[in-house]
Amino acid sequence: MVILTSVLATGALSLTACGSRDDNGGGDSDNGKTTTLTIGVDAPLSGENSTTGLGLQYGSQIAVDEANEKKLVPGVTFKLKAYDDKAQPATGQTNATAITGDKTAVGAVGPLNSGVAQTMQQVFASANMVQISPANTAPELTQGKDWQTDKKRPFKTYFRTSTTDELQGSFAADYAFNGLKKKKAFVVDDKQTYGAGLAKIFNEQFKKFGGKVVETDHVNTGDKDFGSLVTKIKNSGADVLYYGGQYDESALLTKQMKDAGVKIPLFGGDGMFATTYIEAGGAATEGDLATAIGVPADTLPAAKTFIETYKSKGYKGDYGAYGTYAYDATTAIIKAVKAVVDANDGKVPSDINDLRSKVVDEVQKSDFEGLTGKVAFDEYGDTTNKQLTVYQVTKGEWKAVKTGTADLG
């Protein structure tokens, strides 16, 4: 694999320009030229996790298309360039280098996976380019490795429109113990940054609420046979299985568990919240649960047009988990560019490094109503929107059963 190492030198901004003004009067007010600015989007667009990754990509695309149609930033045309990280950290790092090496790029949306984000953050920080993830939930990404005792923001260029596993894990533990009245949990994770972190927090919080964690175990991503694990779960006496990881493995695990006669629900996080989980696990998924960030997209009045557009375009993937959050992340970048241009007498700064730096500052000041609610960021770059939802598979579909904010016990 070739690693791209191009670095931007300080100097004039190299931009695509079109000299003709359109019939609606679009383009720069001085000379009729349009500046093209690129927003990169990184997610798994093939292979594992691609259902949710594609939803992220197309959520961003809809935001870019709408900004261009409405000429939200006069004289600027936005272009989305998608990068497939295949849920692999090394590929994500390569993609980050490619995005920052694009002299028209002003920001990036993504990635989906927290483990991939860890390899990308430094690359964007070195280029002083904003990165907003609609899906990352690992607390350390914004609050540092010692986030439980000493919160420190590692990168001022990194933001997210999704809330953290600290809240999601607690929300799940609360519902499992107080909502489902489960007392004994078996906890499994996939050893990845997201899955292991989420499982750890559920473990801690479930015990704080009064439950007992009877046993813990681990799987590897890509595993297909969970026979020995199912036997352990069956013999443990657990009345709920909590799984930290993605839908690829959890769908197989729940099917094999139910086929073995272990009739307990599998409960997971937002990495499991996809139509693919139900499709892959079939009838065995009935009654299983997952937490997800925010409230159901189809209950948000502002998201109605978004959903209609997504469906009418025939876009692949599942918008339900992160599509609207990707839309809001992309909009935050576009609005930041508008603020920079407005403050510069309606002109795009000629230096790419200056433009990127100012966009980072403006994103930090974000304060607008998005599809998912108010879009704003705290001192760590975390969203101020802390709402979460528990979904349960009912008659072959994810149905919301509880919406609210987390109680940390």
Side-chain angles (χ1 to χ4, degrees):
M1 182 181 297
V2 178
I3 306 298
L4 302 177
T5 56
S6 57
V7 179
L8 287 175
T10 301
L13 175 59
S14 174
L15 299 169
T16 303
C18 175
S20 61
R21 181 188 300 270
D22 63 27
D23 293 336
N24 296 318
D28 187 278
S29 58
D30 289 339
N31 53 26
K33 293 183 179 180
T34 298
T35 299
T36 298
L37 296 179
T38 302
I39 296 174
V41 59
D42 175 90
L45 307 179
S46 62
E48 289 190 0
N49 313 154
S50 59
T51 296
T52 43
L54 289 166
L56 189 156
Q57 175 191 352
Y58 292 122
S60 294
Q61 186 65 62
I62 291 171
V64 165
D65 290 344
E66 288 185 3
N68 289 334
E69 289 167 7
K70 296 176 181 177
K71 295 181 170 50
L72 190 62
V73 186
V76 173
T77 296
F78 291 96
K79 173 186 174 184
L80 193 76
K81 187 169 183 180
Y83 294 79
D84 181 7
D85 63 34
K86 299 179 174 65
Q88 298 297 318
T91 306
Q93 185 175 48
T94 299
N95 291 347
T97 303
I99 294 169
T100 56
D102 181 347
K103 292 178 177 149
T104 68
V106 292
V109 174
L112 173 70
N113 307 86
S114 293
V116 176
Q118 289 179 322
T119 68
M120 302 177 80
Q121 287 180 303
Q122 182 63 64
V123 179
F124 287 112
S126 296
N128 209 7
M129 181 189 287
V130 70
Q131 174 191 10
I132 309 178
S133 173
N136 297 160
T137 53
E140 58 264 36
L141 294 172
T142 49
Q143 301 168 23
K145 60 184 178 63
D146 299 320
W147 62 270
Q148 289 180 302
T149 56
D150 184 22
K151 294 182 180 181
K152 290 182 181 177
R153 186 176 185 178
F155 304 102
K156 73 170 188 176
T157 51
Y158 178 87
F159 301 81
R160 55 178 153 202
T161 51
S162 59
T163 194
T164 70
D165 289 334
E166 179 182 19
L167 300 180
Q168 186 175 191
S170 180
F171 197 62
D174 181 21
Y175 190 75
F177 185 79
N178 295 311
L180 299 176
K181 306 301 181 184
K182 302 298 184 182
K183 306 303 179 187
K184 296 185 290 184
F186 194 114
V187 179
V188 177
D189 69 71
D190 64 0
K191 304 180 187 177
Q192 302 300 303
T193 301
Y194 162 74
L198 188 59
K200 180 175 183 289
I201 293 165
F202 176 90
N203 187 324
E204 294 170 350
Q205 294 298 319
F206 189 71
K207 288 185 285 190
K208 281 186 180 181
F209 283 117
K212 180 181 180 181
V213 175
V214 295
E215 196 171 343
T216 62
D217 210 331
H218 315 277
V219 300
N220 297 304
T221 56
D223 281 355
K224 307 292 185 185
D225 184 356
F226 300 103
S228 61
L229 174 58
V230 167
T231 299
K232 289 182 183 179
I233 297 169
K234 188 173 186 177
N235 294 335
S236 72
D239 53 12
V240 64
L241 170 65
Y242 187 80
Y243 182 81
Q246 307 289 341
Y247 56 76
D248 304 273
E249 291 76 32
S250 58
L252 295 176
L253 175 56
T254 200
K255 188 174 190 307
Q256 292 174 32
M257 187 172 70
K258 307 296 173 50
D259 287 347
V262 187
K263 305 299 184 182
I264 63 174
L266 188 152
F267 200 159
D270 55 332
M272 229 177 75
F273 180 58
T275 54
T276 304
Y277 176 78
I278 300 172
E279 292 164 0
T285 63
E286 191 72 13
D288 288 351
L289 305 105
T291 50
I293 57 175
V295 299
D298 57 9
T299 68
L300 297 165
K304 182 180 179 182
T305 300
F306 169 88
I307 295 171
E308 290 173 350
T309 300
Y310 197 103
K311 292 179 177 179
S312 68
K313 295 278 188 180
Y315 286 146
K316 297 179 181 179
D318 186 353
Y319 66 81
Y322 307 114
T324 53
Y325 288 87
Y327 177 100
D328 283 348
T330 308
T331 300
I333 295 173
I334 291 169
K335 284 182 175 290
V337 170
K338 177 174 172 54
V340 173
V341 171
D342 287 349
N344 194 46
D345 297 325
K347 298 177 182 177
V348 177
S350 60
D351 187 295
I352 184 63
N353 299 310
D354 180 42
L355 174 59
R356 290 177 176 178
S357 177
K358 288 177 177 176
V359 167
V360 171
D361 293 340
E362 292 298 335
V363 166
Q364 183 66 65
K365 301 175 192 175
S366 296
D367 187 1
F368 65 93
E369 286 299 320
L371 298 187
T372 60
K374 183 178 180 180
V375 177
F377 304 101
D378 64 17
E379 67 269 33
Y380 302 104
D382 281 324
T383 177
T384 58
N385 184 349
K386 309 297 185 184
Q387 287 192 302
L388 292 156
T389 299
V390 175
Y391 294 86
Q392 187 167 34
V393 181
T394 305
K395 296 181 180 178
E397 294 182 350
W398 288 113
K399 299 292 185 182
V401 293
K402 180 185 178 182
T403 296
T405 54
D407 175 5
L408 295 178

